Amino acid sequence: MNCKRRMLLLISCVLYFMLLEYHFRDEVEELRLSDWFNPRKRPDVLTTTDWLAPVIWEGTFNRQVLEEYYGRQNLTIGLAVLATGRIADQYLELFIQSASKHFMTGYRVIFYIMVDAFYRLPNLEPGPLQMVQVLDIRGHDADDFHLMRMKNLAVHIVGHIQDEVDFLFSMMANRVFQNDFGVETLGTSVAQLHAWWFFKNTENLPYERRPGSAACIPLGQGDFYYDGTVIGGTPLEILNFIKEYLDGIIRDKENGLNSTYERHLNKYFFIHKPTKLLSPEYSWDTVLWPPAQVWLVKAARCLERAF
């Protein structure tokens, strides 16, 4: 009997230490914000929001720490782009070429290219660890490019994307990647600060102010103005945004209103605060001269406001 008790005690102790080991292993593997993000290195800009989300500027992050952490995660990252008509003709090839060079290099990447005609596809040559999926567009909302973009993205997220990638970005094709757009941008819900409006008076931000609109942010309220050409996060978080956006479009139509996609996006992030914000360096507007706060442009929009 004593022998059995000793054996049970020994097994219990072994299990205890195994659980303890797993507990501390999880603590070590959990990446804390302070491990890689140092806002004090950029005293010239806003680096943390009121809700304590980091604002990613060049110089605020330790890429080596991030690479060591995410390199163990076996990640796949998706980049979705809708390219129709002249957008595909003029911008898609350069978009993919520059993304192949600068977007999440060293990680598995799936480029999801949504097109209205396969003949518009340029010669696409993805790099190592990269693959391309060409997706057809179901239905055409020619009068609202962003509505078509989000409807189709939602269909593909539900159909397969949510099972294929850990993080997903959706971008417009009229941009060129110029420097590394890396894992410092990954997060559950990622919003892009608008280059055109970030350095302007916050009282004049172009929110939807009509009380009857689902996109309305009341006067005197609002955090930042976000760029609608970039959104990132987990596939399910992006799907949640698309659902609220489409519901808002329906409500507005019932009330005889028609707000813009970007204003609906700003309302969503006003209610559902993003967990990470990207500085204007990640979506600079080429019509603007970069101020001193912009150290390194990661991606630049080719047009001022084409849509």
Side-chain angles (χ1 to χ4, degrees):
M1 191 67 174
N2 289 337
C3 184
K4 288 184 178 179
R5 286 179 180 175
R6 291 195 199 98
M7 183 60 69
L8 289 173
L9 181 60
L10 178 61
I11 293 173
S12 177
C13 289
V14 170
L15 290 175
Y16 171 78
F17 284 112
M18 288 176 64
L19 291 172
L20 198 64
E21 179 185 357
Y22 281 117
H23 172 72
F24 284 110
R25 183 185 302 173
D26 289 341
E27 284 192 350
V28 171
E29 290 183 353
E30 184 66 28
L31 185 66
R32 297 169 299 180
L33 184 62
S34 59
D35 292 336
W36 63 273
F37 183 69
N38 188 349
R40 290 176 295 180
K41 289 189 173 182
R42 290 298 306 268
D44 57 322
V45 290
L46 177 71
T47 53
T48 306
T49 68
D50 292 341
W51 59 94
L52 303 182
V55 182
I56 309 303
W57 295 84
E58 182 66 19
T60 60
F61 56 89
N62 186 322
R63 176 155 285 163
Q64 182 178 352
V65 171
L66 289 167
E67 295 285 357
E68 290 175 357
Y69 175 76
Y70 284 112
R72 300 193 299 267
Q73 303 303 310
N74 197 29
L75 293 180
T76 301
I77 301 121
L79 175 56
V81 58
L82 175 61
T84 61
R86 64 182 181 83
I87 298 299
D89 296 338
Q90 296 178 21
Y91 303 115
L92 183 57
E93 185 172 13
L94 186 56
F95 175 87
I96 294 297
Q97 285 179 352
S98 63
S100 297
K101 184 177 180 181
H102 296 294
F103 182 80
M104 303 294 169
T105 54
Y107 295 87
R108 285 196 305 274
V109 173
I110 301 177
F111 297 118
Y112 297 104
I113 304 175
M114 297 179 286
V115 294
D116 57 347
F118 288 96
Y119 71 82
R120 295 189 185 277
L121 284 174
N123 182 32
L124 303 175
E125 298 181 0
L129 301 177
Q130 299 171 347
M131 64 179 294
V132 173
Q133 288 190 27
V134 180
L135 311 174
D136 63 326
I137 295 173
R138 304 178 186 182
H140 292 254
D141 295 285
D143 295 333
D144 193 328
F145 180 89
H146 292 290
L147 181 59
M148 177 169 60
R149 171 189 169 204
M150 288 298 141
K151 277 184 176 180
N152 280 274
L153 183 57
V155 168
H156 290 294
I157 289 175
V158 172
H160 59 100
I161 290 177
Q162 63 178 334
D163 299 318
E164 296 172 346
V165 301
D166 301 285
F167 296 98
L168 176 66
F169 282 89
S170 174
M171 300 184 186
M172 296 284 290
N174 61 329
R175 73 184 54 244
V176 177
F177 292 87
Q178 298 181 355
N179 290 285
D180 285 346
F181 195 111
V183 290
E184 73 278 2
T185 65
L186 298 180
T188 301
S189 175
V190 181
Q192 172 66 62
L193 292 171
H194 203 296
W196 188 267
W197 293 103
F198 182 74
F199 298 102
K200 293 184 179 294
N201 191 330
T202 56
E203 295 180 359
N204 300 321
L205 296 179
Y207 296 129
E208 175 61 73
R209 297 300 193 183
R210 292 174 293 177
S213 173
C216 177
I217 296 177
L219 283 170
Q221 299 185 37
D223 302 314
F224 304 96
Y225 196 76
Y226 300 106
D227 185 344
T229 65
V230 178
I231 185 172
T234 62
L236 292 182
E237 182 64 31
I238 292 180
L239 189 64
N240 187 57
F241 157 69
I242 296 174
K243 179 182 181 301
E244 293 208 15
Y245 163 59
L246 296 179
D247 288 345
I249 291 290
I250 293 171
R251 286 170 53 194
D252 276 3
K253 286 185 177 180
E254 291 173 349
N255 293 325
L257 297 172
N258 183 23
S259 193
T260 66
Y261 160 79
E262 196 163 72
R263 288 173 175 171
H264 280 283
L265 175 117
N266 273 271
K267 175 60 177 290
Y268 179 82
F269 282 135
F270 177 64
I271 300 299
H272 309 278
K273 306 297 188 189
T275 60
K276 184 174 287 186
L277 285 69
L278 304 184
S279 74
E281 296 171 321
Y282 288 87
S283 185
W284 191 247
D285 194 323
T286 54
V287 303
L288 302 174
W289 185 262
Q293 297 94 322
V294 175
W295 287 8
L296 189 67
V297 172
K298 310 304 178 78
R301 298 171 61 182
C302 300
L303 297 177
E304 179 181 356
R305 285 185 298 275
F307 301 96

